[in-house]
Amino acid sequence: MTAAVTAPAQPRLPAVARRYWPLAAALVLVPLGLLLAGGGSWPAALSVDLSGPLGSASDWIVDNRDSHPLFLYFFGHVSNAVVLSVRGVYLVLLAAGWAGVTAAAGLIAWRVAGVRLALTAVASFAVCGLLGMWVPTMQTLALMVVAVAASVALGALLGLAAGLSDRTYRALRPVLDTMQVLPAFAYLLPVVLVFGIGVPAAVLATVVYAAPPMARLTALGLRGADPGVLEASASLGATGTQRLLTARLPLARKELLLGVNQSIMMALSMAVIASVIGAGGLGDRVYQALASVDVGAALAAGIPIVLLAVVLDRTATGARAVRGRDWAACAVAVVAAAVTGRLIGGDTWPAAWHVGIAEPVNRAVDWMTAHLYSGVPVIGGTADWAAHFTGWVLDPVRDGLQALPWWSLLLVVGVLALLVGTWRTALTAVAAMAAIGVLGVWDASLDTLSQVLAAVAVTLVLGFAIAVAAARSARVERCLRPVLDVFQTMPQFVYLIPVVALFGVGRAPAVAAAVVYALPAVVRITTQGLRNVDPVAMESARSLGATGRQQLLQVQIPLARPALLLAVNQAVVLVLAVVIIGGLVGGGALGYDVVFGLAQGDLATGLVAGAAIVCLGLMLDRVTQPTGKEAPRA
């Protein structure tokens, strides 16, 4: 009996030590840091000026891009293959004409996902034509087809290797983890350095950005296959290839389709962002409209992006097996529609059917500027809100971070990472934060960090409040579902359009766009976590007379902790992505450096800022993503 009573108490001392030793370490290191390191910003003596070496490297690449064998016989062939592939798909789309493409979209959606989605697809492509965006939509679609095909193929190969080999899985996992938290802008600069501005750089940046989710989900599906089915297949004498084709891949079908869906959505998002480096299409129209603050033109190009995202997302999500003869019938119908369309109005959408919305939208924006932007009695206008948020929140947080001693920030990062993770995650987080100082962009990075922290705080407050309401009411959840579906499928670029109209340019609009972009994911994850709490625990709380507030605070939130932690992590990652893009609308800091480097050809400045963004994203992910089984990565 004595052994039975005392044995469980033995591991408690190490657990207590693991919980409280970061506090003890802080009590020791803070005075030590005050004595040895001093305060203030990152010491200039510990920074490394990379502008010279990076400038020399970029100059060498530019000078040798047309003569060096590496570019002539490798990168040159890759670039030509990408250009020919995109051009070939684009010519096929033009040959099919507006009627053929619309019919193909409707028939494919009908055969793989049902009548409702078929009608949605036809209506979506029709709206693209009515808005006068048919040609840019086809350009974006051509780039998407090539990029998604390459992303799925590359991701599937990597996932196959990771799913069948433990060693490969261990080697790829940290790489995929890191790539998952990188903002989209971080992918643009390296490919621009090698391939220059244009379609090849845009496609390859999109492939690199969209391949990781396919690889991760493929590996997850293959590694999670039912062992009993695999053992039965092996007992019947099946070879490794036969087990893969007849057992592992069919069992992983759900994960594979989800991987294709995620690759499609990330590729569309990146294809729009890549307009900054010459991708063309709808993204280029949005970028040009934002540059001239033409909200009507930006919205006219943004609506087709959203519709294209919705159609592709729903088609990939609801895909099912289709017989070969059905595809043949669809092909015949598409050809007939293409011929009919050419007889009616040529290969592009007839100009007589265009509906211009830019002028009415701009008039509405002018009205909002006159009546809502400023001068609203009592509550003030949106410009006043932006100014107050900047002066009362963003400026104090930024100034406070920049006033802290650099070593104290490293200490805080290390302690937070230790509290939620292990020694390895803490070292990674501290090293990433220190690398920012070494790169010489400490103050700019803290400016970006202040925007991220402010946006995450607003996102979590709003997201948790909305999620609690949705978890408690099925009606609220049903009303929110279509709104969240639309917001979750919109590329990051599109969120900049309404905030520029309402708030102008600056850091506050960038934060507002980040909040709107990250909010759907936080609401969905939190709602699911609260709804999946053990019904027995909830029933027990109710039987004991707990009020609704007590059930939420004492039962649901503690039991939903893994989902809440995952929501925090996803909020940080998504907010960082849009805050960086906010450099296009006056967000400043690292986002501005990246945009400046791309626009002015100053690749040294852009690459340093891009590396700092990578380090900042890695640090934030390690600080907010607990290790272990309780908080699986999305």
Side-chain angles (χ1 to χ4, degrees), residues 349-371:
W349 191 271
W353 296 357
H354 289 174
V355 176
I357 66 169
E359 185 176 348
V361 168
N362 285 331
R363 285 201 301 266
V365 170
D366 293 338
W367 182 90
M368 288 191 296
T369 302
H371 295 83

Side-chain angles (χ1 to χ4, degrees), residues 389-579:
F389 188 78
T390 301
W392 295 350
V393 179
L394 293 179
D395 287 345
V397 174
R398 180 194 62 189
D399 296 341
L401 288 174
Q402 293 178 347
L404 286 174
W406 61 271
W407 53 264
S408 66
L409 284 177
L410 296 183
L411 181 62
V412 170
V413 167
V415 170
L416 290 176
L418 278 171
L419 289 175
V420 301
T422 63
W423 266 103
R424 182 177 299 176
T425 57
L427 290 174
T428 303
V430 172
M433 196 67 188
I436 292 174
V438 173
L439 291 171
V441 287
W442 183 259
D443 289 340
S445 298
L446 294 185
D447 189 355
T448 296
L449 180 60
S450 68
Q451 298 178 45
V452 172
L453 294 178
V456 167
V458 175
T459 302
L460 293 180
V461 170
L462 294 177
F464 286 167
I466 296 172
V468 169
R472 286 170 168 257
S473 171
R475 179 178 298 177
V476 172
E477 186 182 21
R478 285 195 300 270
C479 294
L480 283 175
R481 189 179 303 159
V483 178
L484 296 178
D485 286 345
V486 172
F487 273 68
Q488 222 169 359
T489 54
M490 287 197 295
Q492 301 160 357
F493 233 36
V494 179
Y495 288 91
L496 300 179
I497 300 172
V499 298
V500 169
L502 289 173
F503 301 103
V505 295
R507 286 181 293 152
V511 170
V515 170
V516 178
Y517 180 67
L519 197 59
V522 173
V523 172
R524 281 189 182 279
I525 295 172
T526 306
T527 302
Q528 184 179 8
L530 294 175
R531 281 188 170 272
N532 289 341
V533 169
D534 188 358
V536 176
M538 294 296 297
E539 184 61 33
S540 299
R542 283 190 291 267
S543 66
L544 293 173
T547 63
R549 184 171 179 270
Q550 290 172 329
Q551 294 174 33
L552 174 66
L553 297 178
Q554 300 177 13
V555 181
Q556 284 184 290
I557 290 179
L559 292 179
R561 180 174 175 270
L564 298 181
L565 293 174
L566 181 59
V568 172
N569 175 260
Q570 291 302 294
V572 169
V573 173
L574 296 175
V575 161
L576 177 62
V578 180
V579 164

Side-chain angles (χ1 to χ4, degrees), residues 140 143-144 147-148 151 179 182-192 198-213 262-284 287 305 309 312 489-494 517 577 580-581 584 594 598:
T140 298
L143 190 147
M144 277 285 298
V148 168
S151 300
M179 295 179 70
L182 301 187
F185 256 31
Y187 290 88
L188 300 182
L189 291 160
V191 294
V192 168
V199 171
V203 171
L204 292 171
T206 304
V207 171
V208 175
Y209 183 65
Q262 292 300 302
S263 291
I264 289 174
M265 300 312 299
M266 296 186 75
L268 179 58
S269 177
M270 189 63 176
V272 175
I273 295 172
S275 63
V276 179
I277 58 173
L282 294 170
D284 188 57
Y287 180 60
I305 294 172
L312 294 175
T489 54
M490 287 197 295
Q492 301 160 357
F493 233 36
V494 179
Y517 180 67
I580 297 302
I581 298 175
L584 295 171
V594 174
L598 287 170

